Each structure stands twice: as structure tokens, then as C-alpha cells.
Amino acid sequence: MLLLRCPLPFLLLLLLPLDSRPQKLPTRDEELFQMQIRDKAFFHDSSVIPDGAEISSYLFRDTPKRYFFVVEEDNTPLAVTVTPCDAPLEWKLSVQELPEEASGEGSGDPEPLEQQKQQITSEEGTELFSYKGNDVEYFVSSSSPSGLYQLDLLSTEKDTHFKVYATTTPESDQPYPELPYDPRIDVTSLGRTTVTLAWKPSPTASLLRQPIQYCIVINKEHNFKSLCAVEAKLSSDDAFMMAPKPGLDFSPFDFAHFGFPADNNSGKERGFLKSSKFGRQTSPKPRVDLHRVCIGNKNIFTVSDLKPDTQYYFDMFAVNTNTNMSTAYVGTFARTKEEAKQKTVELKDGKVTDVFIKRKGAKFLRFAPVSSHQKVTFSVHSCLDAVQIQIRRDGKLLLSQSVEGVRQFQLRGKTKAKYLIRLKGSKKGASMLKILATTRPNKQSFPSLPEDTRIKAFDKLRTCSSVTVAWLGTQERNKFCIYKREVDDNYNEEQKKREQNQCLGPDTRKKSEKVLCKYFHSQNIQKAVTTETIRGLQPGKSYLLDVYVIGHGGHSVKYQSKLVKTRKFC
């Protein structure tokens, strides 16, 4: 194939008979060719197809586009690949004989340019191949005649991108990765939130030792036939994700809604049409639930954090990292398993129920008051991290909130109403909580808490044998008990955090750790502060202090632990 490096009209001028002396068309200058291929702007918006390089271009709907290239010798191998991106294409490859007399040197005046162009393009060439559809399609010939080849493309559905690759050395180029004899993707394991995929490696990697990486595409709509089609759905500036660390598969669905911003650059190419009433207006692309990730050269991968009972489509592309050209495996699809039916726990009026939730898990509870009621109160005590709570009455959502510590929700009642409570655990770890539902407003098992449950230590009042601390109370009269425990000097905040189970009461402590208990409250919330001096401590020692507030029903809540240290020298 001849690489044409000039505007088409000038090219055609060279091809037309200008002199009686025949001249052989120039052959490809490989060094110059490689230089120009690196210059992406060289073939931008050109009608010339270079030999051995893939070009990307754009088609307006119902507006045909024609490309040219020259094969200068008979019996030349030829391969042409057309890749539709986001719409089906109609394309045709044809050939015309080259003029028998062609020369760049002529004593006569050349014919007008348009007349020359018309002379060589007005005749219909011999059709070699045609195709209509959205598959990646090929024309391959081991022996092609010399001539001027024309590639005509048309999109009747919408404006679209496409790619074209042509070469006269298909045996040696091999820019596209080769597929294995079985190009299917196998689903080897299926769970409620995970799907494990496996595939056979590309011979380009295993036999030819060329650098190949595999890119997986996951979405909930359909399979894709080319990576070009995937890129058309994604933002133009969105790069491939980095490969995950060894032993850790990537989880692209680690968030509620996955997707990418629409590509708003597609209309810039023809922005001058905006002021014309004849110009077709472009609308922004909608967001799509589509994700891709390149995972290196391994051929097994687990996609996790999917939604239960949901169908997903999986596509695999082998990408030659030297050429950045790709080949699609046969895509597959799978539906994740249904969520395991949750056992619903029945709540009894006025009785505290303990609930344990696995990491990222959920629990369902049901409360059906036996008598008519005007109000219903839900008291929740989260022992560790915050939990999410949803309450529905007869299917209608009444509240959805995050709960940390002790919270109370009072809702309007309804005759014969049934309440469904959904509790969702933390992502950090397992969750523990206590919950009470009652239709009796005076039935309060959990004590009230101030907004700030920290214990403050006064450094200036610290001695070798005592520390003085203070904490906030409420307007409600409650019983407060303070406990101490000697700890090592290397006891840190991380260890303290692991012991922050607020649901563990004084009954779990040793009697020797108890300092005192007292009742305290204040009608003036601004003055609801109490102090206490803890004596009998050892010099230079560290102690962990805990304050428990105990409600009328006997249930206790622990304040945030405080680490203190006595002075070593006094």
C-alpha cells in the first residue's frame, strides 16, 4: 500500500495522466511514515488511510464519508478492519484501476483540479466487499490487484465514531491481539454480591510474548462488541483504572451508584452549527451505569459488591499495550443470587431487645401493638459505631436516620398499624445495639444523655495520687457510677477504641475497680456539670476512667473512656 501524505486533490493530481511517460508510484518511506504516524494531527480530518496505522474519525448521520488508499502492485496482501463504535455502519470497499499514464512532470497545462478529481472518482469502481451492522468486520485478501481503493462509510442511525485500520503487511503487523480457540468468558462462581470470571489467555501473550493486558467492562444494559463502543459511552477524559494490588481484586461497585459523567465534547467539533437554524443540535449524553477496569495479564477475576438479584453484562478485551489496539472476547451475562430472606424479629411492647448485625449486614424487626395507640416511641442504643435505621408504618417510610449512642424517636400512632424496622450495620465492622418499642410514653428504659459524653480531666489538679475529672449531666435525675482501671504506659487510643462498647454495664466490671456512685441532675442545663476527685492512685501510673449513667429501667450507657496519668514526682 502506498502511504499518501498530501491533501486528496493534490494526490489525485499526481495520479492523473499529465505526461506520456509512465512513472512508478513512490513506495513507502518507512522512517518518514513512522514519524508521521507519531504526529496524530497529520491524519486528522484527512481522506487518506495510512498503511499500518489505525485512524479514528466521526460520521454525521446520513452524511457519507469516503477514504482512499493506493495499492501500487498486483498480488499484494491487503487487510482492512472497520470498527463501529456507538452505532451500526454501512460500509463498502471498492477498487478502480490506476491511470496507465501518470507523471509528476508535464510540459502541458494540467486540467483544472475539479475536472481531474471528477475524472477519477466519477466512475464506479469494482466492489470488493460490503457490510451493514455494528460488528467489527474485516476484509482480508492474500492477493489484491493494484489500484485506487475507496472505502465508503455511512451511518443512518445517528452521529457516531468509528475506527479504520488498513495494511499491506497483515502477516507481520498483527496489531490486534489474537483470540484463543475458545474466546468465551466463563462464570466460575456466582453469589449474591460477587461474580468470578475466567477466560483463556490470548496466544499473542502466551506464544508471541507480546505485552497484553485484559480490560473488563461491567454494566447492566447489554454486551459491547468493541472497546471503542465502551469508550463512546464514557467520558473522553476518563482514564483506565489502575490494576489492583496483588491478591486484591478491584471492587467497582463499592458505592451506591456507579457511573461516569457524560461526554460533553462530542458537539464541539461542529459548534459553528449552533447559530444556524439548519444545524442539528446535540444533546448531552445521559449517565450510564458502566465501569471498566484493566487488571494486567491475569485471567481470573472476581467482581464484588454487586447488587443481589440483578443481571450484569461482562465483556473482556485483550489490549496490546504496544499498539493500544484491542480484540473483544465473547461477552457473557449473569444474574446475582437473591438476597437471603431475613428472619424478622418480633418486638414486644416495653421490652428491650438486643440486636447483632454483621459487617455491612442488615436486620429486620417488626412491632405490632396489640391495642390502639396515639403515639409509639422507639428508643435505640448503638453500642459501637453508628447504624442506619429505617422505620415504615404499613409500608410507608416514616424516618431514615443514622444513630450513634442513644436516640429516641416518637411517631404518631395509627389503629392496627404494623411497623417494620430495618437496621443496617457499619462498613467498619459488626454492630451491636439495643432497641425498645413502646406505646406507653412514660416507659423509658434508656437514660437520657447530654450531647457531649466526654470526660474532662483537669491537668492542674493532677497529683501523684489523685486526678480530678468532670462530665455533663441532664435535667433528668440519673445515677452515675465511675470506675477506674490501671493500664500499661503504652496503652493507646486504638486499644481504648476497641473497648468502647457502650452497652457493657457496671455489672461487667470488677468490684475493686468501682470508685463511687451518685445521683445528679440540674434543671438549668447550662449548670448540669459534676466533678469528682479520684484518690488512692499510684504515682506515675496510667488509668482508664469510665462513667456509667443508669436509667430508671436499670439499663446503663457508658460515657467515652478517659485515659489519665498521675504525676511521677510531687
Side-chain angles (χ1 to χ4, degrees):
M1 184 190 297
L2 170 66
L3 175 65
L4 303 176
R5 299 182 178 81
C6 50
L8 182 60
F10 182 71
L11 165 69
L12 296 174
L13 182 63
L14 294 177
L15 297 177
L16 292 175
L18 299 177
D19 196 293
S20 60
R21 290 171 294 177
Q23 179 184 5
K24 181 177 175 63
L25 290 171
T27 57
R28 183 170 95 181
D29 182 338
E30 188 65 27
E31 183 178 351
L32 181 59
F33 166 72
Q34 293 298 336
M35 179 191 72
Q36 291 173 331
I37 289 303
R38 288 192 294 268
D39 182 6
K40 299 300 184 184
F42 179 77
F43 293 105
H44 177 69
D45 201 24
S46 170
S47 298
V48 178
I49 300 178
D51 189 353
E54 187 178 63
I55 63 169
S56 301
S57 192
Y58 196 80
L59 272 177
F60 295 126
R61 181 173 58 86
D62 295 331
T63 304
K65 205 166 196 177
R66 175 171 289 180
Y67 288 87
F68 297 88
F69 59 89
V70 168
V71 173
E72 59 180 3
E73 295 179 358
D74 288 330
N75 303 318
T76 299
L78 177 63
V80 178
T81 303
V82 177
T83 304
C85 292
D86 49 351
L89 294 181
E90 298 178 22
W91 64 274
K92 178 180 70 173
L93 182 66
S94 56
V95 61
Q96 295 185 41
E97 290 186 4
L98 288 172
E100 293 183 1
E101 297 178 348
S103 174
E105 301 175 5
S107 56
D109 295 331
E111 299 176 4
L113 183 61
E114 287 302 317
Q115 184 177 345
Q116 298 173 43
K117 184 175 178 180
Q118 184 178 3
Q119 177 180 342
I120 198 167
T121 59
S122 59
E123 298 181 5
E124 286 293 328
T126 302
E127 183 177 314
L128 300 177
F129 184 80
S130 64
Y131 173 76
K132 181 179 180 180
N134 60 355
D135 284 326
V136 179
E137 194 56 66
Y138 313 86
F139 169 80
V140 180
S141 174
S142 59
S143 178
S144 297
S146 62
L148 176 67
Y149 284 73
Q150 297 175 182
L151 178 64
D152 296 286
L153 302 105
L154 177 68
S155 173
T156 59
E157 187 174 300
K158 63 177 182 177
D159 300 349
T160 182
H161 291 87
F162 66 93
K163 294 186 177 183
V164 175
Y165 173 79
T167 180
T168 53
T169 55
E171 291 298 325
S172 60
D173 285 1
Q174 296 185 346
Y176 295 98
E178 186 181 348
L179 289 178
Y181 68 92
D182 182 2
R184 294 174 299 179
I185 305 172
D186 296 321
V187 177
T188 60
S189 177
L190 190 65
R192 291 191 299 273
T193 60
T194 61
V195 173
T196 300
L197 307 171
W199 57 93
K200 294 177 175 60
S202 166
T204 305
S206 57
L207 299 179
L208 301 181
R209 302 299 181 184
Q210 292 190 23
I212 298 294
Q213 72 169 340
Y214 299 100
C215 297
I216 300 176
V217 175
I218 309 107
N219 78 105
K220 294 190 285 189
E221 295 182 2
H222 56 77
N223 288 111
F224 289 90
K225 297 184 178 181
S226 69
L227 200 52
C228 173
V230 175
E231 291 168 345
K233 285 283 186 181
L234 299 175
S235 174
S236 60
D237 59 353
D238 170 48
F240 274 175
M241 300 296 293
M242 297 298 292
K245 295 180 180 179
L248 294 175
D249 282 349
F250 182 76
S251 301
F253 302 96
D254 206 11
F255 34 88
H257 179 85
F258 57 95
F260 294 88
D263 181 3
N264 294 322
N265 297 323
S266 59
K268 291 181 179 179
E269 188 175 324
R270 50 189 177 131
F272 62 90
L273 291 176
K274 291 182 178 179
S275 60
S276 170
K277 64 180 179 180
F278 301 106
R280 296 191 296 270
Q281 299 297 317
T282 58
S283 57
K285 295 180 182 179
R287 291 175 64 91
V288 289
D289 285 347
L290 172 68
H291 200 91
R292 66 180 177 182
V293 54
C294 293
I295 60 170
N297 58 4
K298 63 180 180 178
N299 62 333
I300 187 169
F301 185 76
T302 297
V303 183
S304 58
D305 293 312
L306 304 175
K307 294 182 179 179
D309 194 26
T310 303
Q311 182 159 299
Y312 291 93
Y313 294 84
F314 304 94
D315 292 290
M316 174 62 58
F317 300 94
V319 182
N320 187 326
T321 56
N322 281 343
T323 64
N324 203 31
M325 297 166 75
S326 60
T327 305
Y329 279 65
V330 177
T332 188
F333 61 89
R335 177 175 289 274
T336 50
K337 292 183 179 180
E338 293 183 7
E339 186 78 71
K341 292 185 178 180
Q342 293 280 353
K343 181 181 178 182
T344 303
V345 178
E346 294 287 340
L347 296 179
K348 294 184 178 181
D349 197 333
K351 184 178 179 181
V352 175
T353 300
D354 294 313
V355 180
F356 175 81
I357 308 173
K358 294 180 180 179
R359 176 178 174 267
K360 294 185 181 180
K363 282 288 179 70
F364 291 87
L365 302 92
R366 182 174 175 269
F367 181 52
V370 294
S371 59
S372 60
H373 56 284
Q374 292 184 337
K375 292 182 179 179
V376 60
T377 302
F378 292 92
S379 299
V380 181
H381 181 193
S382 177
C383 306
L384 301 171
D385 295 315
V387 296
Q388 295 287 330
I389 181 171
Q390 285 186 349
I391 300 179
R392 296 178 183 270
R393 184 184 63 203
D394 299 332
K396 182 181 179 181
L397 183 65
L398 299 181
L399 71 86
S400 179
Q401 288 190 25
S402 176
V403 175
E404 193 169 7
V406 176
R407 290 288 301 276
Q408 190 177 94
F409 306 100
Q410 196 169 70
L411 306 175
R412 183 177 297 178
K414 190 176 180 181
T415 305
K416 297 182 180 179
K418 293 180 176 60
Y419 300 86
L420 181 66
I421 302 97
R422 180 178 185 267
L423 300 168
K424 187 176 181 181
S426 168
K427 293 182 179 180
K428 299 178 182 178
S431 300
M432 297 172 58
L433 56 95
K434 296 177 180 288
I435 185 169
L436 177 142
T438 181
T439 57
R440 293 167 285 177
N442 295 327
K443 182 72 174 179
Q444 301 297 332
S445 293
F446 298 133
S448 59
L449 288 174
E451 290 186 6
D452 190 348
T453 58
R454 292 176 298 177
I455 302 171
K456 178 177 174 57
F458 298 96
D459 186 65
K460 291 183 178 180
L461 301 180
R462 189 165 55 101
T463 70
C464 291
S465 60
S466 68
V467 293
T468 301
V469 295
W471 64 90
L472 298 178
T474 64
Q475 294 174 315
E476 179 182 328
R477 188 171 185 267
N478 286 316
K479 182 181 180 181
F480 294 88
C481 293
I482 187 166
Y483 284 73
K484 69 173 183 353
R485 177 164 64 93
E486 185 178 336
V487 294
D488 295 334
D489 289 338
N490 57 0
Y491 189 88
N492 54 39
E493 290 295 322
E494 187 64 30
Q495 291 174 284
K496 186 175 74 172
K497 188 176 181 181
R498 288 199 295 265
E499 299 178 6
Q500 282 296 98
N501 187 343
Q502 292 187 335
C503 294
L504 296 178
D507 54 321
T508 63
R509 304 297 296 264
K510 297 179 181 178
K511 289 184 178 180
S512 59
E513 297 176 347
K514 183 178 179 180
V515 178
L516 59 86
C517 291
K518 67 177 183 179
Y519 288 89
F520 164 71
H521 77 289
S522 175
Q523 294 299 323
N524 185 349
I525 194 65
Q526 302 295 331
K527 296 181 179 181
V529 181
T530 185
T531 60
E532 195 65 43
T533 298
I534 303 163
R535 307 179 190 279
L537 307 179
Q538 298 297 316
K541 297 293 183 179
S542 297
Y543 294 87
L544 192 68
L545 304 182
D546 288 307
V547 170
Y548 297 87
V549 55
I550 304 169
H552 301 299
H555 293 282
S556 64
V557 179
K558 188 175 75 167
Y559 278 46
Q560 298 179 40
S561 300
K562 181 65 178 179
L563 186 64
V564 296
K565 188 174 183 179
T566 56
R567 296 187 184 276
K568 194 171 185 179
F569 304 103
C570 296

